[in-house]
Amino acid sequence: MSRPVVVVGASMGGLRTAETLRKSGYLGPLVVIGDEPHAPYNRPPLSKEVLATDVSHDAVAFALSDVLDDVMWKTGNAAVAADLDKQTVTLADGTVVDYEALVIATGLRPRRLDFDNRPARGIHAIRTLDDAMALRSELVPGANVVIYGAGFIGCEAAATATKLGAQVTVVGKGDVPMLRPLGHELARDIQRRHEAHGVAFVMNAQLTGVRGDDRVTGVTLDTGVELPCDVLIESLGSLPNTEFLAGNDIDIEAGVHVDAALHALRTTGDAWPNVFAVGDVARFPIPKFDPATRRVEHWNIPTEMARKVGKQLALQLAGDADAHATEVAKHFDPVPSFWSDQFEVSLLAYGLLDQATDVRLLEGEPGGNCIYGYFVGDDMVGVCGIGMRSKVMAYRNKVGLTTSHG
Amino acid sequence: MLKIHVDMDKCQHYGQCVFDAPEVFALNDDDKLEYKATADDSERENVQRAIDICPMQAISFVE
Ligand SMILES: Cc1cc2nc3c(=O)[nH]c(=O)nc-3n(C[C@H](O)[C@H](O)[C@H](O)COP(=O)(O)OP(=O)(O)OC[C@H]3O[C@@H](n4cnc5c(N)ncnc54)[C@H](O)[C@@H]3O)c2cc1C
Ligand code: SF4
């Protein structure tokens, strides 16, 4: 039997890659390896609906298309090592799987605090369905919830926990929450809306300690303040799941470095022709912006990358050299897009907002529905709106950098 | 003919589908999703892309 295409990571990126391979005519063996026990499911609801209501795996699972019928799923089994020269992946149960081509779709995991004497109970992060379900059972009315890290997931969890009747305090480092992605003005506006719902913010602060024996009872901050705490949620950003690739000649600094055709790169910058990365774990250039590489941890990216890798790899394996070369030459050039729901605020954004040197109100009123443009010189690198979605969408195809601004 | 269904209890009107299948999906002036329940077979691939990209997994084909 010929060697299979092996996809490591059974979530959105892995699933969409497998589907696109099949739909593009690849009928050979296909193995999808995932460490979670669950079939692929949708993550954004984890900080929203899943925390708020009694939602099970069924409600968030992705529909599995018929084209996946003969895929071999190895779920509940982590990839623990890989040998890119011998073309093998080793699983936690000791199985060694040979591959013809490897697709890395292992995503991220939350960065966690490292404290001595960390209580075993009451401290959470939100990345997996199991994480969200464990947290949900503790978000009871009147609970003192401290959220450490004021990014999107932290702020969404703050809104959801407040709606459930918890007393929520968000502790974060900058002056305002979500400062880096949104800029000062819009971030401050959203903070005020959170405060109107009863969320407390302690900004410019760091956690220095956690109190409690078996269960967390309080946290201490570098400002000297001590906060009572029944539930601590850590939302401090993420780390790429690349450990299983260690020991190979592959650039995994801050994510798997890929080229514009999504091939993984050696530390020398040369491409591995049969190794790819898709989704949150990938660090890639976006030509419509600049040659710099970055991870983009938003929902549309895994699907768009998977579509390219699936199609391109199917042509490569079919030996269709011309069509493959044409596909490789189509550089991956997406418009990052994200949304976020926090209380009545529904944000919709396109582009790379954090690249902006200048943020301007484009339409509407601060405090109400409004649209901000994110600029470098005259180039719009991003757009973000509260409400006014059809208008925000109309800006989508305008984002990018036309010139290099040194 | 394709038959398309959007579960309006799930749809959050994010409009991601509009970019993949603008002939079928649109946001109206109130930013609510409107869609055509039937479309020509030539739209199959576009609608499938919209199904895949919908963050709420709200869109399906009616068999
Ligand atoms: C709580 C939360 C809320 C979010 N909300 C939004 C939102 O509102 N809007 C938005 O645009 N985006 C949002 N996102 C981001 C979006 O969900 C991600 O961009 C998307 O899930 C990335 O998909 P992926 O397939 O690349 O990675 P993941 O979904 O992280 O999947 C990677 C999979 O690989 C598995 N894995 C890791 N290592 C191994 C290994 N060694 N062996 C086998 N399997 C392994 C992981 O367990 C996981 O199942 C949110 C994310 C989270 C966590
Ligand atoms: S992408 Fe999905 S949630 Fe968004 S408007 Fe379309 S159907 Fe609704």
Side-chain angles (χ1 to χ4, degrees):
Chain A
M1 198 179 81
S2 56
R3 281 181 301 196
V5 173
V6 171
V7 178
V8 183
S11 179
M12 185 160 56
L15 171 70
R16 297 282 181 244
T17 303
E19 278 172 2
T20 313
L21 272 167
R22 283 290 188 249
K23 287 181 186 169
S24 307
Y26 173 72
L27 300 175
L30 182 51
V31 178
V32 182
I33 296 163
D35 59 359
E36 292 185 71
H38 310 287
Y41 60 88
N42 197 14
R43 268 172 231 283
L46 299 183
S47 48
K48 310 172 186 98
E49 296 85 346
V50 174
L51 280 188
T53 45
D54 208 9
V55 170
S56 63
H57 176 257
D58 285 351
V60 288
F62 288 116
L64 292 181
S65 147
D66 303 343
V67 300
L68 298 175
D69 282 353
D70 57 354
V71 167
M72 185 189 283
W73 296 92
K74 291 182 178 288
T75 45
N77 210 338
V80 293
D83 185 324
L84 302 188
D85 291 312
K86 295 204 179 100
Q87 299 182 214
T88 62
V89 174
T90 305
L91 307 191
D93 68 2
T95 319
V96 177
V97 185
D98 292 319
Y99 68 80
E100 187 63 39
L102 175 67
V103 181
I104 302 158
T106 45
L108 307 172
R109 65 174 180 282
R111 197 159 69 75
R112 302 301 302 260
L113 291 173
D114 184 17
F115 282 121
D116 298 338
N117 308 324
R118 200 185 150 96
R121 295 193 300 136
I123 307 184
H124 298 265
I126 316 173
R127 181 80 196 176
T128 67
L129 182 62
D130 295 348
D131 292 342
M133 304 235 252
L135 173 57
R136 176 172 71 203
S137 62
E138 300 197 350
L139 292 180
V140 294
N144 286 306
V145 175
V146 174
I147 297 179
Y148 187 35
F152 283 112
I153 291 178
C155 289
E156 287 179 359
T160 311
T162 302
K163 284 191 268 184
L164 292 170
Q167 293 293 321
V168 177
T169 305
V170 177
V171 177
K173 35 183 192 4
D175 288 340
V176 290
M178 301 173 288
L179 176 61
R180 200 172 53 90
L182 294 184
H184 201 278
E185 208 172 330
L186 182 55
R188 181 78 190 99
D189 176 358
I190 298 174
Q191 178 181 350
R192 283 199 199 97
R193 301 186 200 215
H194 272 264
E195 285 166 347
H197 285 277
V199 178
F201 286 85
V202 182
M203 298 307 295
N204 292 313
Q206 292 204 28
L207 217 78
T208 48
V210 179
R211 295 196 189 277
D213 300 324
D214 172 44
R215 211 197 141 87
V216 60
T217 56
V219 296
T220 50
L221 307 184
D222 61 350
T223 53
V225 172
E226 229 187 287
L227 297 171
C229 176
D230 305 309
V231 179
L232 172 62
I233 303 175
E234 298 174 354
S235 49
L236 297 160
S238 308
L239 301 170
N241 292 319
T242 51
E243 287 72 10
F244 79 103
L245 296 163
N248 289 283
D249 179 14
I250 180 171
D251 180 1
I252 50 172
E253 176 78 37
V256 181
H257 185 190
V258 296
D259 65 13
L262 308 182
H263 298 109
L265 298 178
R266 294 175 184 266
T267 47
T268 54
D270 295 329
W272 284 95
N274 64 338
V275 183
F276 305 84
V278 301
D280 280 5
V281 74
R283 175 165 62 84
F284 58 98
I286 307 182
K288 66 167 59 67
F289 291 95
D290 55 23
T293 58
R294 49 182 72 81
R295 297 197 315 261
V296 179
E297 302 166 16
H298 297 319
W299 207 84
N300 71 316
I301 297 296
T303 297
E304 295 198 25
M305 290 182 127
R307 282 178 185 161
K308 175 164 178 62
V309 168
K311 186 166 178 202
Q312 183 180 298
L313 182 56
L315 293 169
Q316 180 176 341
L317 297 171
D320 192 341
D322 289 347
H324 175 248
T326 308
E327 200 55 41
V328 167
K330 286 185 203 156
H331 288 173
F332 184 64
D333 196 14
V335 180
S337 94
F338 74 87
W339 77 95
S340 181
D341 293 319
Q342 303 168 25
F343 296 112
E344 72 287 350
V345 177
S346 79
L347 288 173
L348 177 63
Y350 298 105
L352 293 174
L353 282 56
D354 60 356
Q355 302 298 303
T357 48
D358 179 22
V359 183
R360 297 177 218 155
L361 183 68
L362 298 178
E363 297 188 39
E365 295 286 329
N369 285 349
C370 52
I371 301 177
Y372 285 86
Y374 293 74
F375 292 89
V376 174
D378 290 332
D379 289 338
M380 191 191 289
V381 291
V383 60
C384 182
I386 298 183
M388 306 178 90
R389 283 191 186 150
S390 12
K391 292 197 170 143
V392 180
M393 286 164 65
Y395 287 102
R396 176 186 186 256
N397 293 331
K398 301 194 176 120
V399 304
L401 265 177
T402 49
T403 43
S404 59
H405 298 260
Chain B
M1 228 25 186
L2 298 173
K3 286 191 179 167
I4 299 150
H5 175 71
V6 178
D7 181 339
M8 283 307 191
D9 290 335
K10 285 191 182 166
C11 173
Q12 298 282 343
H13 312 279
Y14 293 120
Q16 299 286 338
C17 50
V18 176
F19 295 106
D20 279 313
E23 298 295 321
V24 177
F25 303 101
L27 291 192
N28 66 19
D29 293 343
D30 296 327
D31 286 340
K32 295 281 181 263
L33 178 73
E34 286 181 354
Y35 70 103
K36 296 184 188 147
T38 55
D40 197 76
D41 283 324
S42 61
E43 284 291 314
R44 176 175 291 277
E45 196 180 325
N46 291 341
V47 175
Q48 184 61 56
R49 292 167 79 92
I51 290 174
D52 292 348
I53 207 80
C54 168
M56 303 313 294
Q57 299 288 289
I59 312 170
S60 56
F61 285 123
V62 184
E63 295 305 331

